[in-house]
Amino acid sequence: MEVIVVEPERFGDAALEAVFRATADIASPVVGLATGKTPVPLYAALRARAGAEWVARVRPFAIDEYGGRRDHPCANRAYFALHWGAIPGAAAVEQFDPDAPDRAVECNRLATALEAAGGLDLVVLGIGTNGHLAFNEPGSGPGTSARAVRLTEASMAAARGCWGLETPDTGLTLGLAELLGARRAVLLATGPAKAAIVAEALEGPEGPHCPASYLQGHPATVVVLDTGAAALLRRGGGATRRD
Ligand code: GLP
């Protein structure tokens, strides 16, 4: 696992460099895309830079979606329209449809489409304050596949900032099997509020109590942190570490 720590103002560019590096040798990479506040600087950097050539090669897949209305402004669908769709040359993101009549069928549909595309070449991930990856909440094992889930209180609390009283208590997510099956992974985290969970995920024991900890066993993960999120790493922040 490679851990890159940068000053907050460098975060978007550092994340973009990690993503470019992870896909440099792949002509048409299948890429799983995170939502949330963390990757916003990555998508902004992609828009601002000569990223369009890379974007045009990418086959993008959403890694999760809220179980609320599909057309809700806080749905990941709206997020992608804003942050990904605004990048010139970007292909439409393959996404979960929370309005599908049967969510189990819908999750299988997306997982099958992903499998048909050859699986993920790269997954770009954020981390929840409870250690979730996408909506694989604590308790999720490494063999879990795409499915509808119930959100934890921590995830709902994070969602309330946007969704307010309409905060969904369910989600649709790729499983840890699909995410950890990605050939390469880039995990992103920013800010001191993520410092404790980042330290637990990277340096604590691997297990379902912290789904992000399974990345320790992934063969090709790059972690990009700002100094706030790296503050509690025992092996330090402010430097690049490879182990
Ligand atoms: C959300 C999503 C994740 C995301 C994480 C962190 O609820 N399900 O895919 O990575 O929580 O979000 P943020 O970057 O806003 O802290």
Side-chain angles (χ1 to χ4, degrees), residues 27-134:
S28 185
V30 177
V31 179
L33 296 173
T35 55
K37 291 191 188 81
T38 310
V40 169
L42 164 66
Y43 299 134
L46 203 44
R47 245 189 349 259
R49 275 233 242 151
E53 186 274 328
W54 179 83
V55 160
R57 295 195 280 121
V58 167
R59 289 182 289 164
F61 279 77
I63 60 171
D64 60 16
E65 177 56 284
Y66 287 99
R69 275 189 293 115
R70 178 177 54 185
D71 62 354
H72 194 284
C74 301
N76 287 351
R77 193 167 284 262
Y79 178 102
F80 283 126
L82 184 66
H83 296 290
W84 178 261
I87 303 168
V93 180
E94 297 276 357
Q95 300 181 62
F96 293 99
D97 180 358
D99 289 353
D102 184 329
R103 287 185 177 167
V105 171
E106 173 58 12
C107 290
N108 277 337
R109 180 197 65 76
L110 197 68
T112 303
L114 179 59
E115 209 179 308
L120 293 169
D121 292 304
L122 168 67
V123 65
V124 178
L125 295 163
I127 180 171
T129 51
N130 63 0
H132 73 208
L133 288 183

Side-chain angles (χ1 to χ4, degrees), residues 1 11 33-39 63-64 123-138 154-155 158 176 179 186-204 207 209-216 223-226 229-230 233:
M1 185 179 272
F11 182 76
L33 296 173
T35 55
K37 291 191 188 81
T38 310
I63 60 171
D64 60 16
V123 65
V124 178
L125 295 163
I127 180 171
T129 51
N130 63 0
H132 73 208
L133 288 183
F135 275 136
N136 293 279
E137 300 281 30
S155 295
L176 290 176
L179 300 178
V186 171
L187 175 68
L188 306 174
T190 52
K194 295 283 175 74
I197 197 65
V198 164
E200 191 179 335
L202 270 53
E203 298 182 339
H209 64 284
C210 178
S213 66
Y214 288 118
L215 287 168
Q216 292 178 32
V223 184
V224 184
L225 306 172
D226 73 357
L233 287 177

